Each structure stands twice: as structure tokens, then as C-alpha cells.
Amino acid sequence: KMADTVSSGSSTRSGGKHSTTPADNYYLARRRTLQVVVSSLLTEAGFESAEKAAVETLTEMLQSYVSEIGRSAKSYCEHTARTQPTLSDIVVTLVEMGFNVETLPAYAKRSQRMVITAPPVTNQPGTPKALTAGQNKPHPSHIPGHFPEFPDPHTYIKTPTYREPVSDYQILREKAASQRRDVERALTRFMAKTGETQSLFKDDVSTFPLIAARPFTIPYLTALLPSELEMQQMEETDSSEQDDQTDTENLPLHMSTDDSGAEKENASVLQQNASLSGSRNGEESLIDNPYLRPVKKPKIRRKK
Amino acid sequence: MSLLVPAPSDGPMSNGVYVPPSVANGDVKPVVSTTPLVDFLMQLEDYTPTIPDAVTGYYLNRAGFEASDPRIIRLISLAAQKFISDIANDALQHCKMKGTASGSSRNKSKDKKYTLTMEDLMPALAEYGINVKKPHYFT
């Protein structure tokens, strides 16, 4: 069977399958009603059954008769410079078409009359309630009311979406680790570029620069000295309670409250207390590079 | 002072209807000039035609006819119905004539089942000047 792509309704009789648009359905529904009307008229006349071709012929005739009456009545009406057809126009039309008007009242009062229900009026199926989102925008004043409504707002309004940040522990750890490695590498390279470098290879200086090691006079000093943080804390508490207590008494007490390995250095700190500040001052004067200055931590008040 | 009223005479103008002189002589039967179906239209609300108003209105709108009065639509649908039923009656006559032409049983009349066939419809339509020809067979 060949697929029938003709969209007119008159080809519904032949076999091909074709899709019907809503306009076609509209047309077909009314045509079907006319067929029913013709069948009822035939039944009234006394026929029990009829050939399909005969019913189709009469349906076609009925439809074209009604259309012709409409067209002709409209023409007569416009012929007399009017727009609204009146009864006279229709009477003239019927007379012109050879219809005996005087018999019409008699026909109307005939005994057996059948009434057929009109084809149901179906509303346009709008978007189902479940799919609508948000209010449709109302018409601006310059748009007439019979125009279709605006579509749902989500079709033309752009709302940016944010992806939820990744909170998987493994991924986060991986990210943190790779970030730290990148930072360390960048930092060491930076230090190599800004400070003194020693090269691993004799000829090639720039490929693998090593940060130059600064030889200290007393190499073991850094191991014995407390870390920067401890020293800052020492300094802070030292300066805050200088007027109340003596230094020597408080220092071991404060040193014992520090976290990192303070017990080892208690004894040596007492002896090197005097040289401590001195060496620190000396170191500070040597450090010119602003990026290498010690980190300034906020003052933390510690209660005794 | 009396108003000058033209006295109704049997001249050409009487009752507001222009009657040509030949008609007044009685040669030609005058056509009624008042709209014939005015009274009928008033009674039309009682008689609902078989064709629904929506369907007739749909086809009239397609032809460009916008009806102001729904009774006009009923009138047209009634006229169309009568047209079809006249043809159907003629076809029935043909069918009956064919049935009893061969002189079948007298006691019982032709069986009440009449089927409208194209063979009956064609001569009925031919009297109206409509010629239909269907192929004898079609796939």
C-alpha cells in the first residue's frame, strides 16, 4: 500500500494511512455529521440501507448545496451594498437555485423528524497542568486578545545554574595534595629565581636551579632554637607581662606551655636568652627580601 | 386644510407594489412581493432541523456567509434537507417501480427493505440535471 500523503479529507475512503491535523479532524467531524444527516433522511424516506457510494454522493451534494446557498446569498446581499444577509437574500437565492420556497413550511411540519446532536466542541488541548511552570506573561496592550498566549516563561528566561561543588573526600584529598605540590614547586622556583642559586650541572645554570644553602656560623643553632611561632608567642607574652613579673621566672613557665618540644630547650634557652634577642635582631637586619620576612601572626592572649 | 393624500387608485402604484400595466390586465399572474417566509421564520424556533446549527454554520462560514440570526441558519439547513429528501423520495419511487415492475407476488407487497443503490440514484439525479457516473468497479 502506498503511503497517502494527500492531506485533503476526501481521500479518507481509500486505503492509505495518513496523519490528520486538527484542521482535518475539524473538517472530518462535520462531514461525518452530514453523512449521518443524509442517512437519517434516507431512513425517513423509507430506505432500510444504502450503498456507500450513494450516501457519499448525497453527502457531497448536501455540502455543496449549503455552500452554494451561502455563497449566493452573500453575493446577492453585497450586490445591494449591504454586508449582512437577510431573509430576502436567501429567498432570492433559493428561487434562483430552483427551489420551491412555498413548499418549505409544509416540509418543516412533517411528522417524522429526527434530530442529530451536534459534533462536540473540543477545546484546544493546552499544556497539561503538570508541565506548566510559572505564570505566563500577560499580553501587552498592543496585542489583541484573540492571539495565543505567551509560552511558559522557562522557555525564554535564562536562569544560570550552579553546579554543586564536589564534596567527595577522596577527590578533595587528591585536589589538596596536587595543589600543595604545585604550590611548593612554584614557591621553590620563585625562590630560586629571586634568591641565590647553586646549579647541579657545571655548564647549565638555569635548568635545575637549587636554592643556595646559606652556611651558618653555628650549624646546630637552628635545631636548638625554637620555631618562629614559639618565639613570637614568647615575645608577645613577654611584652605583655613585662611590668608584672621578672623575665627569668616566667620564661620557663611559658616555655613549658608551648607545644613543640619545649622541654628540651628549657635549659639552653635560659642560658641563651641574652643572645637570643641579639641574634634575632641580627637576622632581621640581614633579611632584606620582603617575601622572606617572618609571618606576622595575630597576638594571642594566653591566660596564665 | 386637508392633507393632500394621493387617493389610492388602481393605477400602476397601489399598495406600494408596482404592477406593470400588462399584469393589471390579467395576462400575467403577479408574483407576490412580500417576503414569503417571514411568518414561517417566526415559527421556526419550534422546528429543529436535522442538520445541527453548528454544522450548517460551519459550511456557510466557509462560503463567506456570516449569519446574524440563527433562524436564518435553520432555514438554510431546512432547505438543504428538503432538497436531499426530495431526491431520496424520487429514488425510492424508482426503486419501487423496479421492484413491482416484474409483477412479483401480489399478496405481499415488495419487501419493506429498500436499499438505495446507485442505479436508483442516477435517474433520480438526472431529472434534476445532475449527471453522476460511477465506475462499475474500483479498487
Side-chain angles (χ1 to χ4, degrees):
Chain A
K1 264 193 203 174
M2 277 174 31
D4 208 341
T5 52
V6 177
S7 63
S8 70
S10 58
S11 61
T12 49
R13 235 187 316 143
S14 54
K17 294 218 189 303
H18 59 279
S19 63
T20 53
T21 66
D24 287 343
N25 286 337
Y26 203 68
Y27 164 72
L28 286 173
R30 272 133 188 87
R31 188 146 173 118
R32 188 57 60 100
T33 314
L34 282 186
Q35 278 189 339
V36 173
V37 165
V38 164
S39 309
S40 76
L41 287 176
L42 291 176
T43 311
E44 263 190 51
F47 285 102
E48 286 281 334
S49 53
E51 273 183 4
K52 188 154 182 4
V55 172
E56 285 283 343
T57 308
L58 288 176
T59 310
E60 188 67 40
M61 284 169 54
L62 182 60
Q63 178 186 330
S64 81
Y65 199 75
V66 172
S67 307
E68 178 61 27
I69 291 180
R71 188 207 63 80
S72 186
K74 182 76 175 172
S75 300
Y76 270 108
C77 145
E78 284 174 354
H79 182 68
T80 57
R82 281 179 288 122
T83 52
Q84 289 249 332
T86 67
L87 178 64
S88 316
D89 298 322
I90 297 170
V91 169
V92 170
T93 305
L94 290 173
V95 166
E96 193 208 356
M97 291 174 76
F99 189 84
N100 196 348
V101 183
E102 288 163 14
T103 58
L104 196 54
Y107 175 75
K109 291 168 190 153
R110 70 199 187 283
S111 55
Q112 310 140 324
R113 270 178 289 133
M114 295 191 227
V115 180
I116 298 180
T117 55
V121 178
T122 55
N123 294 328
Q124 293 273 353
T127 341
K129 282 256 162 80
L131 291 178
T132 55
Q135 292 280 347
N136 289 355
K137 198 170 135 189
H139 279 186
S141 56
H142 60 272
I143 296 182
H146 58 268
F147 275 41
E149 278 189 17
F150 276 105
D152 286 347
H154 72 268
T155 55
Y156 55 85
I157 290 179
K158 183 177 173 180
T159 46
T161 57
Y162 300 97
R163 238 197 292 172
E164 203 184 279
V166 184
S167 57
D168 190 16
Y169 178 70
Q170 184 179 355
I171 297 174
L172 281 180
R173 279 298 292 261
E174 283 177 11
K175 268 196 189 172
S178 61
Q179 262 186 4
R180 195 167 72 181
R181 186 189 60 213
D182 291 340
V183 163
E184 281 177 4
R185 211 173 73 170
L187 189 58
T188 50
R189 279 191 176 202
F190 179 74
M191 286 198 66
K193 290 230 161 90
T194 53
E196 293 171 4
T197 60
Q198 286 174 346
S199 66
L200 204 55
F201 306 109
K202 206 195 308 184
D203 306 325
D204 201 353
V205 181
S206 61
T207 320
F208 293 105
L210 300 173
I211 303 172
R214 270 182 299 177
F216 288 106
T217 45
I218 313 170
Y220 49 83
L221 187 62
T222 52
L224 296 174
L225 287 178
S227 66
E228 297 271 342
L229 178 60
E230 292 171 358
M231 280 173 49
Q232 262 193 347
Q233 285 174 349
M234 258 170 45
E235 226 181 60
E236 287 153 17
T237 54
D238 196 16
S239 59
S240 65
E241 286 141 2
Q242 234 170 13
D243 43 353
D244 290 335
Q245 287 106 5
T246 59
D247 295 345
T248 51
E249 277 184 358
N250 290 330
L251 271 175
L253 277 171
H254 288 287
M255 288 307 291
S256 62
T257 57
D258 286 338
D259 295 335
S260 52
E263 293 126 26
K264 261 193 294 188
E265 301 158 25
N266 268 347
S268 53
V269 163
L270 281 172
Q271 287 141 21
Q272 294 173 5
N273 201 10
S275 61
L276 203 66
S277 44
S279 64
R280 274 201 77 231
N281 288 335
E283 264 187 50
E284 273 182 315
S285 61
L286 280 176
I287 299 172
D288 224 3
N289 202 335
Y291 296 98
L292 297 178
R293 284 205 198 114
V295 174
K296 287 207 173 14
K297 294 278 171 111
K299 294 192 190 270
I300 302 170
R301 296 269 168 186
R302 285 207 176 187
K303 296 221 171 104
K304 241 199 303 200
Chain B
M1 189 165 291
S2 65
L3 292 168
L4 285 171
V5 177
S9 59
D10 49 4
M13 292 292 285
S14 64
N15 294 337
V17 178
Y18 174 67
V19 182
S22 60
V23 176
N25 294 339
D27 294 343
V28 177
K29 193 165 174 206
V31 177
V32 181
S33 63
T34 56
T35 317
L37 295 173
V38 170
D39 300 327
F40 173 62
L41 201 64
M42 302 305 155
Q43 312 163 5
L44 197 51
E45 282 139 17
D46 299 335
Y47 308 111
T48 314
T50 313
I51 314 180
D53 283 354
V55 175
T56 318
Y58 169 73
Y59 286 111
L60 290 176
N61 286 347
R62 277 178 71 131
F65 183 97
E66 182 70 36
S68 47
D69 196 357
R71 292 176 296 186
I72 299 269
I73 299 181
R74 294 216 191 102
L75 185 70
I76 294 176
S77 66
L78 211 56
Q81 265 177 249
K82 180 166 185 305
F83 174 66
I84 297 291
S85 69
D86 285 347
I87 298 174
N89 283 327
D90 289 347
L92 191 67
Q93 299 296 324
H94 279 274
C95 191
K96 282 184 182 166
M97 280 195 302
K98 283 180 191 166
T100 58
S102 54
S104 56
S105 62
R106 298 286 171 85
N107 292 340
K108 77 165 176 71
S109 54
K110 177 85 163 83
D111 58 340
K112 294 292 197 276
K113 292 196 190 298
Y114 296 111
T115 301
L116 174 66
T117 60
M118 285 307 293
E119 289 84 25
D120 295 332
L121 197 55
M122 279 207 291
L125 288 176
E127 291 173 14
Y128 280 82
I130 304 168
N131 298 317
V132 292
K133 275 203 183 121
K134 287 281 189 216
H136 295 287
Y137 56 90
F138 46 90
T139 54

